[in-house]
Amino acid sequence: MASMNLLLVHKLNQYQVRVALSTTFAQLKEIAGSQTGIPPQHIKLLFRGRENNDAQMLFQAGVKDGAKIQIAEKQSFVDEQAQMQAAQEQDALLQKQQAAAVQQEVKEQQLMKSQIGVIKVQVDQLAQQAQQLQQQLQHQPPAVSHKAALQIGEVATQKLIQLDNVHVTGDARMLRKAEINRVNTMADQMELIRSQTQPQ
């Protein structure tokens, strides 16, 4: 069976192929598709600037050995690829934004926990003072205990205000709640001591 060499050109790429003279343009599209990766149904073959019928044989269109045939993409395929690329870019942008949001959330959580951590250290120190006061109740004048309970209660109130001023989300909310509960319990204990040691 007689055959001929053809040069298929797609953009900056060139493909040398050998086909039978009786090859149809539809069959050549299959060959072009295997070379370029473009689905055959989305390919246009231009010979001498015009597109031929798929059922037409190459030799019937005047295609001869060494002829150059241009591979073009149908506009519907170009539009589809553009839409896919736009969707991929949009998806990539969304993923990037989500990653940035997660990273920002992590930073904010770290800052929140750090702020609460500073207050927690101060609350720990205050709790030690409250514990010492409770241990010394039987060994010091009521007036001294009353004054100490008042001072600890005032500081406890300040700590509650500081905790309330820390904006929290996520896990940091639970940490702040735990410290608020600690301080409230301590404040209640100091209130009880003040009532018990109130000067007559």
Side-chain angles (χ1 to χ4, degrees):
M1 181 180 294
S3 62
M4 58 182 169
N5 293 314
L6 299 178
L7 180 64
L8 303 181
V9 180
H10 178 242
K11 297 180 180 178
L12 299 178
N13 300 311
Q14 297 184 351
Y15 309 95
Q16 289 281 354
V17 298
R18 189 169 185 81
V19 299
L21 293 177
S22 59
T23 300
T24 64
F25 279 93
Q27 292 171 328
L28 187 58
K29 284 182 179 181
E30 295 286 343
I31 296 173
S34 67
Q35 296 288 337
T36 62
I38 304 171
Q41 67 271 24
H42 294 303
I43 288 178
K44 291 197 302 183
L45 295 177
L46 304 177
F47 177 59
R48 294 176 180 169
R50 60 182 290 239
E51 186 176 11
N52 292 272
N53 187 284
D54 280 352
Q56 189 176 24
M57 296 182 183
L58 298 179
F59 79 90
Q60 292 174 331
V63 178
K64 298 180 180 180
D65 185 63
K68 179 189 296 184
I69 296 181
Q70 192 77 31
I71 301 172
E73 301 162 9
K74 291 183 178 180
Q75 190 59 45
S76 60
F77 179 70
V78 173
D79 293 342
E80 180 182 331
Q81 292 296 105
Q83 290 175 358
M84 288 179 59
Q85 183 177 355
Q88 290 172 352
E89 291 175 351
Q90 182 65 27
D91 186 56
L93 177 60
L94 180 60
Q95 291 181 0
K96 185 177 181 180
Q97 290 174 338
Q98 290 175 339
V102 169
Q103 187 176 14
Q104 181 63 27
E105 176 66 18
V106 170
K107 290 182 179 180
E108 290 178 356
Q109 283 287 317
Q110 291 174 342
L111 177 60
M112 295 171 194
K113 291 178 181 179
S114 175
Q115 292 173 331
I116 295 172
V118 171
I119 300 174
K120 182 181 183 301
V121 171
Q122 298 169 351
V123 172
D124 288 342
Q125 295 172 348
L126 194 62
Q128 290 178 358
Q129 295 177 24
Q131 185 178 13
Q132 291 173 359
L133 174 59
Q134 290 173 324
Q135 293 171 348
Q136 296 171 359
L137 279 176
Q138 305 300 324
H139 309 291
Q140 63 185 11
V144 175
S145 297
H146 183 84
K147 181 178 180 181
L150 180 63
Q151 292 174 340
I152 293 174
E154 289 175 348
V155 177
T157 300
Q158 295 174 4
K159 297 310 161 189
L160 285 174
I161 294 173
Q162 290 177 2
L163 286 166
D164 189 58
N165 288 335
V166 178
H167 171 70
V168 292
T169 59
D171 294 342
R173 184 180 288 112
M174 298 301 296
L175 293 176
R176 185 182 70 170
K177 183 177 180 181
E179 290 307 307
I180 288 176
N181 289 339
R182 284 181 66 202
V183 176
N184 278 327
T185 298
M186 190 188 314
D188 290 342
Q189 292 171 347
M190 295 302 102
E191 177 63 28
L192 179 61
I193 292 175
R194 289 203 303 274
S195 66
Q196 294 173 344
T197 58
Q198 181 71 33
Q200 300 298 325

